Amino acid sequence: MNHKTGAFIFSLNVSCVKKYQLFIDGHFKEGKNKESFPDIDPATGKTIAEVSLASDKDVDQAVQSAKQSLKGPWGKMQIQNRLDLLRKIGDRIQERFQDFLNAEISDTGKPITLAQKIDIPRGAANFKIFADLARNLPAEIYETQTEDGSRALNYESRVPLGVVAIISPWNLPFLLLTWKVAPALACGNAVVVKPSSETPGTATLLAEIMNEVGVPPGVYNVIHGQGSTVGEVLIQHPEISGITFTGESGTGAKIMEKAAPNLKKLSFELGGKNPAIIFADSDFEKAVEGTARSVFMNTGQVCLCTERVYVERKIFEKFIESLKQKAEELKPGDPFNVKTTLGPLISEKQREKVLSYYKMAVEEGSEVITGGGIPDLPPPFHQGAFVEPTIWIGLKETARVIKEEIFGPVCHIQPFDSEEEAVAMANNSSYGLAAAVWTNDLNKAHYISSQLETGITWVNSWYLRDLRTPFGGMKKSGIGREGGKYSLQFYSEIRNICIKLSMEY
Ligand code: NAD
């Protein structure tokens, strides 16, 4: 084994699997209890790695080493040097692009064409963009007149939060992890990250990069394990100053409860049940193409994915037929094959959940336009967690499959007759993350966007991201915003310094 790395290969029974270790204080190590858990490739159901399980003591050690790093060279580093290090991390990710690509695809089963276009480049870009943004964050200054006629100068100054706990999900593991790590480090914090136990690979590889570019020990720590055990120990640690979490709304509620006694600063990016509204005056082909992407991309496992489609009645039948065709053109299979366009779900457990919704939709009275089952695939993919892309129509808006987040390649299509009806149905949800509106009428686009109860609305597009813009959800879809200056505001404490000027001028 190369002791500078967290991943090494060893033989377990007949197959070769990797080992992903914890990364604490700049070193890769086993958990104190020497326990591990398997990392499963969801495309084949095979174990691809053994992952070291963190004990409570390991979590504490990670937090203490992070705290210590803030008192050492990292805490004293000039901001320009710190941001140069972030840019080097971005460069090094690009140099080791193939390693990250392999780890991410093996963990998630996502098609190579997707991971090489979105996940890995965005991971690298996050470090570069937040390095630039942190350098240019303006500070406000207020001049105050006092009662005795003198003046005072108020200016804001930012300091790091301290040790930040980062808890990330499995759907876009590297992209979402770096979306938090990069601004946290740009602001001068130290982090302890707990990636999803389903996807430990790229977070561990990133630790190698931290050492390669010279990030001081303790600034970036990785602990592995389940959320209900390792995650809960981390979020309740008294030395954690802030928790940034992306995952299910129910998990967010639990984290909030557990974090309450220590009054942690929280940022939550949670679930969604996102609507798309398609008007008859839209560019039909683009609306179909865009909706197919928004429903089926990453096998529907993006928080922004559309699960409720509302179509103006005039084009309802034609739209169903066209979206059905797009769904049936998707090719499930080997994620490393460039022709594959549909990966598996993340796990057998997630497949059971999605299939239970497929069954429920039929019980609730839907008409299945396409899909509803498991695709027939050759070995070794016959043991992967694949499901068919699925479209339903005919349900009442009260149906559970229209109300609950499924997180699979599936949507229900409903007709509407007026703008008011479309908006009312779109807003009739406990979630409020994202919406897509398809129309060529500019006034209508503005009006509908102003009425939607969502943190993000795309008009004639979907998932068109500018990383400077606020990202987050209303209602049960989140608390706070990330992106651009909003991330930097979360990862720092703002102080006001008021200087009374004795000199009159
Ligand atoms: P999840 O909530 O099950 O897990 C997310 C992370 O939280 C994992 O690392 C998990 O181990 C950890 N965790 C679980 N229980 C915990 C606990 N009690 N204490 C501390 N940590 C705990 O979510 P998931 O299944 O990994 O991801 C899918 C969900 O994430 C979907 O609901 C999706 O909509 C949401 N999501 C939201 C966004 C967004 O930006 N709004 C982005 C991606 C995914």
Side-chain angles (χ1 to χ4, degrees):
M1 175 200 171
N2 180 349
H3 288 279
K4 288 187 178 149
T5 69
F8 66 96
I9 310 286
F10 74 105
S11 183
L12 184 83
N13 298 327
V14 286
S15 59
C16 276
V17 297
K18 281 182 283 203
K19 177 99 189 167
Y20 288 130
Q21 296 188 299
L22 313 178
F23 183 71
I24 298 174
D25 204 21
H27 299 287
F28 289 100
K29 47 171 74 172
E30 292 290 297
K32 285 237 164 22
N33 294 341
K34 307 266 180 258
E35 289 175 316
S36 63
F37 61 93
D39 178 17
I40 312 278
D41 174 356
T44 60
K46 293 199 167 74
T47 297
I48 48 166
E50 283 296 316
V51 188
S52 295
L53 178 64
S55 67
D56 295 6
K57 280 193 180 143
D58 296 312
V59 176
D60 181 55
Q61 208 192 0
V63 175
Q64 298 304 345
S65 83
K67 199 178 157 205
Q68 212 48 42
S69 77
L70 295 169
K71 296 183 187 149
W74 180 248
K76 297 189 179 97
M77 198 178 283
Q78 296 270 330
I79 180 166
Q80 196 49 56
N81 296 343
R82 192 165 81 213
L83 300 181
D84 282 347
L85 269 180
L86 259 72
R87 291 190 190 92
K88 279 188 194 157
I89 297 169
D91 288 342
R92 192 71 188 123
I93 292 168
Q94 278 165 331
E95 284 161 17
R96 295 191 56 187
F97 194 92
Q98 198 59 41
D99 295 339
F100 279 94
L101 195 62
N102 290 344
E104 195 77 327
I105 295 172
S106 306
D107 271 359
T108 60
K110 65 178 71 200
I112 187 166
T113 48
L114 184 66
Q116 68 188 7
K117 190 168 163 218
I118 293 188
D119 299 74
I120 312 307
R122 256 293 299 280
N126 282 337
F127 285 98
K128 296 186 172 197
I129 281 164
F130 281 109
D132 291 344
L133 287 169
R135 191 75 193 109
N136 297 309
L137 192 65
E140 288 183 354
I141 298 177
Y142 295 96
E143 199 179 274
T144 310
Q145 280 214 318
T146 61
E147 280 176 9
D148 63 9
S150 63
R151 291 166 187 242
L153 203 58
N154 287 278
Y155 65 92
E156 61 179 50
S157 133
R158 289 184 180 276
V159 285
L161 263 186
V163 180
V164 177
I166 296 182
I167 304 203
S168 53
W170 44 256
N171 61 329
L172 305 164
F174 190 53
L175 186 159
L176 290 173
L177 179 88
T178 50
W179 176 239
K180 294 175 185 300
V181 172
L185 298 194
C187 290
N189 300 286
V191 300
V192 179
V193 311
K194 197 213 75 64
S196 168
S197 50
E198 308 280 3
T199 51
T202 42
T204 314
L205 262 185
L206 185 60
E208 292 182 16
I209 300 263
M210 296 291 172
N211 277 352
E212 285 166 9
V213 305
V215 172
V219 173
Y220 175 82
N221 303 275
V222 185
I223 52 167
H224 293 298
Q226 274 61 38
S228 56
T229 51
V230 177
E232 288 202 6
V233 174
L234 176 62
I235 57 167
Q236 293 180 91
H237 198 292
E239 303 284 0
I240 293 286
S241 309
I243 301 169
T244 172
F245 166 74
T246 297
E248 284 185 15
S249 302
T251 312
K254 273 190 213 151
I255 292 179
M256 197 171 205
E257 193 188 328
K258 299 277 177 190
N262 286 314
L263 294 172
K264 312 285 189 195
K265 192 175 183 187
L266 301 173
S267 169
F268 282 175
E269 301 289 350
L270 307 175
K273 186 75 185 175
N274 308 302
I277 303 178
I278 293 109
F279 287 96
D281 64 18
S282 62
D283 182 324
F284 186 80
E285 292 308 323
K286 286 187 182 152
V288 172
E289 184 68 46
T291 308
R293 249 185 95 231
S294 75
V295 174
F296 302 120
M297 192 176 105
N298 205 37
T299 318
Q301 302 170 117
V302 180
C303 54
L304 307 163
C305 271
T306 304
E307 290 192 5
R308 299 180 292 141
V309 181
Y310 299 103
V311 180
E312 197 165 356
R313 197 175 296 278
K314 278 184 250 178
I315 56 166
F316 184 59
E317 299 297 336
K318 187 176 162 203
F319 189 89
I320 293 169
E321 201 41 51
S322 303
L323 196 67
K324 172 178 188 273
Q325 203 181 325
K326 293 278 181 211
E328 291 174 357
E329 281 167 11
L330 290 167
K331 290 196 171 42
D334 182 356
F336 285 97
N337 184 330
V338 291
K339 293 196 175 133
T340 297
T341 48
L342 190 77
L345 293 166
I346 191 65
S347 63
E348 192 48 46
K349 188 170 156 226
Q350 182 68 9
R351 177 159 80 164
E352 275 169 31
K353 179 185 159 195
V354 171
L355 288 175
S356 77
Y357 279 106
Y358 282 13
K359 187 164 168 258
M360 188 190 299
V362 174
E363 287 163 1
E364 288 187 308
S366 73
E367 182 184 330
V368 182
I369 297 296
T370 186
I374 295 172
D376 198 11
L377 292 171
F381 306 107
H382 65 308
Q383 288 185 337
F386 291 88
V387 290
E388 288 177 329
T390 296
I391 299 172
W392 306 304
I393 60 165
L395 288 174
K396 290 201 180 114
E397 284 293 292
T398 49
R400 271 185 66 190
V401 299
I402 293 184
K403 290 279 160 223
E404 296 171 19
E405 182 186 47
I406 300 171
F407 226 51
V410 59
C411 69
H412 179 267
I413 314 181
Q414 194 80 281
F416 69 84
D417 295 298
S418 68
E419 293 172 15
E420 289 68 29
E421 190 190 8
V423 167
M425 289 195 287
N427 284 342
N428 186 12
S429 171
S430 55
Y431 293 102
L433 185 55
V437 179
W438 296 86
T439 176
N440 274 333
D441 181 332
L442 189 60
N443 287 324
K444 196 189 280 179
H446 278 297
Y447 172 70
I448 302 287
S449 306
S450 74
Q451 298 300 303
L452 289 172
E453 295 164 0
T454 51
I456 306 150
T457 301
W458 279 288
V459 176
N460 296 331
S461 68
W462 176 77
Y463 205 0
L464 178 60
R465 293 279 296 120
D466 180 326
L467 304 184
R468 294 167 299 182
T469 59
F471 181 95
M474 295 182 177
K475 304 184 194 172
K476 284 189 180 168
S477 288
I479 296 179
R481 294 290 180 273
E482 294 186 347
K485 65 179 180 187
Y486 307 96
S487 293
L488 301 176
Q489 281 164 358
F490 174 76
Y491 293 108
S492 55
E493 284 288 6
I494 188 164
R495 299 182 298 192
N496 184 64
I497 296 173
C498 176
I499 300 183
K500 188 166 179 201
L501 305 170
S502 55
M503 206 173 70
E504 297 220 354
Y505 63 95

